Amino acid sequence: MIKKHCLFCDAIVPIEREGEYDRYLDCSCSPGGYYDLRKDSYDEINALPHSAKRDLLHIISAYIREKTDRGEAVYLSAGDLEPIAGSPRTPVTIEDKGSRLLQFLYRHSDAPGDPVMIHPLSSSYNLTYSPNLQELVYIIDKLGTEQLLVREGMNFQLTQQGWNEAAASAGGKKLKPCCVLLGGDEEHYSLWQDNLLPVISQYGYLPDILRHPAPTENGQYTLGQLAESRLIVADLTGRPAGVYFAAGYGLGLGIPVIWTVHSSSAAQLDVLLQDIRPLVWDTAEELIVLIRQKLTK
């Protein structure tokens, strides 16, 4: 197979001829993937002054990696380099570059705490549109200090806060506020916090648990918080009176409500099952499936 120097990540990689384009396979710009560069642009890009290469090439590498990681095809010519580098979508600040790393981890995990391996790290600074490894490491340390991610060697995990921030910025879409109304004990709260909130986030919502009764005075909330919600998930396990009231208030405002209840409490509800049609569940895994089915309708 023919091999050629990738101008953007400086690796020698296999290529395939595709008409007017050369297809570069499995380089650091697109690990496990590829991008296409017009054949007549190679020499033009290679002949750029060193200062232009220093300012442009790492950005193009990052652009390719982000696009192909999202499953998008990339076709490039020499005339594309400066428009890409000057695009308002290209991150410039450390904060925006850090957001791209959070989004990458978000795309490759199913929930907060899922480990994502970045290997080799030394050739992955294009994940943050950085010109060198030193800046990537600085961004990783900064995100760790802000408790948005956890690093263990080459494995990276989003915290719940990092997951929410990544979900909110993914695709440029702001997540819609969502209230999750819970009674029950700490074990019940942890089940929802650890298993269900990430699932709800995947469907365009930013869920916030409101507990009944609130465990502390700081856990109190206002009816205004409910009114701002675009979705309410009300779990009736344990027959919490406050959940009935809050969900009913949301219904009165026209906010969609998804009712859920553990099977152990289904027979003791204060309303008829057929009136609210709750999702009856036994395990967290079963509830995840039911919530996904409900949110995809």
Side-chain angles (χ1 to χ4, degrees):
M1 179 175 284
I2 302 172
K3 292 191 175 183
K4 200 168 184 178
H5 172 230
C6 171
L7 296 170
F8 309 118
C9 71
D10 209 32
I12 305 297
V13 297
I15 67 166
E16 295 176 350
R17 304 293 189 184
E18 297 285 339
E20 296 179 342
Y21 289 84
D22 284 337
R23 175 164 293 176
Y24 292 74
L25 306 169
D26 195 26
C27 65
S28 297
C29 300
S30 184
Y34 61 86
Y35 72 91
D36 293 275
L37 176 69
R38 282 188 65 95
K39 296 175 183 176
D40 56 8
S41 291
Y42 187 92
D43 289 339
E44 184 177 350
I45 296 171
N46 199 31
L48 288 172
H50 175 73
S51 58
K53 290 182 178 180
R54 181 192 60 217
D55 294 338
L56 291 174
L57 299 190
H58 72 279
I59 294 177
I60 305 305
S61 178
Y63 171 86
I64 296 168
R65 183 155 191 180
E66 184 173 40
K67 287 287 188 180
T68 57
D69 190 65
R70 292 176 180 271
E72 302 176 33
V74 174
Y75 292 85
L76 294 171
S77 67
D80 295 323
L81 271 59
E82 289 191 4
I84 290 171
S87 168
R89 293 182 57 83
T90 298
V92 175
T93 66
I94 292 296
E95 288 71 21
D96 287 343
K97 291 179 178 183
S99 179
R100 297 303 174 90
L101 180 57
L102 295 180
Q103 289 177 31
F104 172 81
L105 297 175
Y106 178 73
R107 289 195 298 273
H108 288 267
S109 56
D110 295 322
D114 281 357
V116 178
M117 178 177 286
I118 300 179
H119 180 76
L121 192 64
S122 59
S123 59
S124 295
Y125 51 87
N126 54 10
L127 289 174
T128 53
Y129 284 74
S130 296
N132 51 54
L133 178 61
Q134 288 75 18
E135 185 176 275
L136 171 61
V137 172
Y138 172 79
I139 291 170
I140 291 170
D141 290 343
K142 183 175 184 292
L143 294 174
T145 300
E146 294 170 354
Q147 298 185 341
L148 298 175
L149 62 76
V150 175
R151 176 185 178 185
E152 297 177 352
M154 296 297 105
N155 286 319
F156 295 79
Q157 305 169 22
L158 287 175
T159 63
Q160 181 67 58
Q161 182 183 352
W163 176 273
N164 289 342
E165 289 205 14
S169 62
K173 296 181 180 179
K174 184 71 175 178
L175 295 185
K176 295 171 284 188
C178 167
C179 288
V180 178
L181 308 175
L182 295 182
D185 55 17
E186 289 297 323
E187 182 178 354
H188 189 63
Y189 167 80
S190 296
L191 181 146
W192 279 83
Q193 177 75 32
D194 297 339
N195 298 280
L196 276 303
L197 264 61
V199 173
I200 296 171
S201 296
Q202 292 172 1
Y203 290 87
Y205 294 96
L206 185 60
D208 189 20
I209 292 180
L210 307 180
R211 300 177 68 180
H212 297 266
T216 66
E217 186 174 337
N218 292 333
Q220 300 292 338
Y221 62 91
T222 67
L223 293 180
Q225 287 176 260
L226 285 170
E228 293 172 358
S229 297
R230 296 296 175 266
L231 174 70
I232 292 174
V233 181
D235 187 78
L236 301 177
T237 303
R239 301 172 62 191
V243 170
Y244 280 98
F245 170 79
Y249 178 80
L251 280 175
L253 296 175
I255 301 170
V257 176
I258 296 176
W259 303 90
T260 66
V261 64
H262 191 270
S263 59
S264 62
S265 296
Q268 290 82 41
L269 292 181
D270 297 319
V271 294
L272 296 176
L273 284 176
Q274 58 265 34
D275 289 340
I276 59 173
R277 300 180 182 276
L279 306 178
V280 182
W281 57 278
D282 287 302
T283 65
E285 291 74 18
E286 183 178 357
L287 183 54
I288 287 172
V289 172
L290 294 172
I291 289 287
R292 286 189 184 278
Q293 291 174 347
K294 192 73 173 179
L295 291 176
T296 54
K297 290 183 178 179

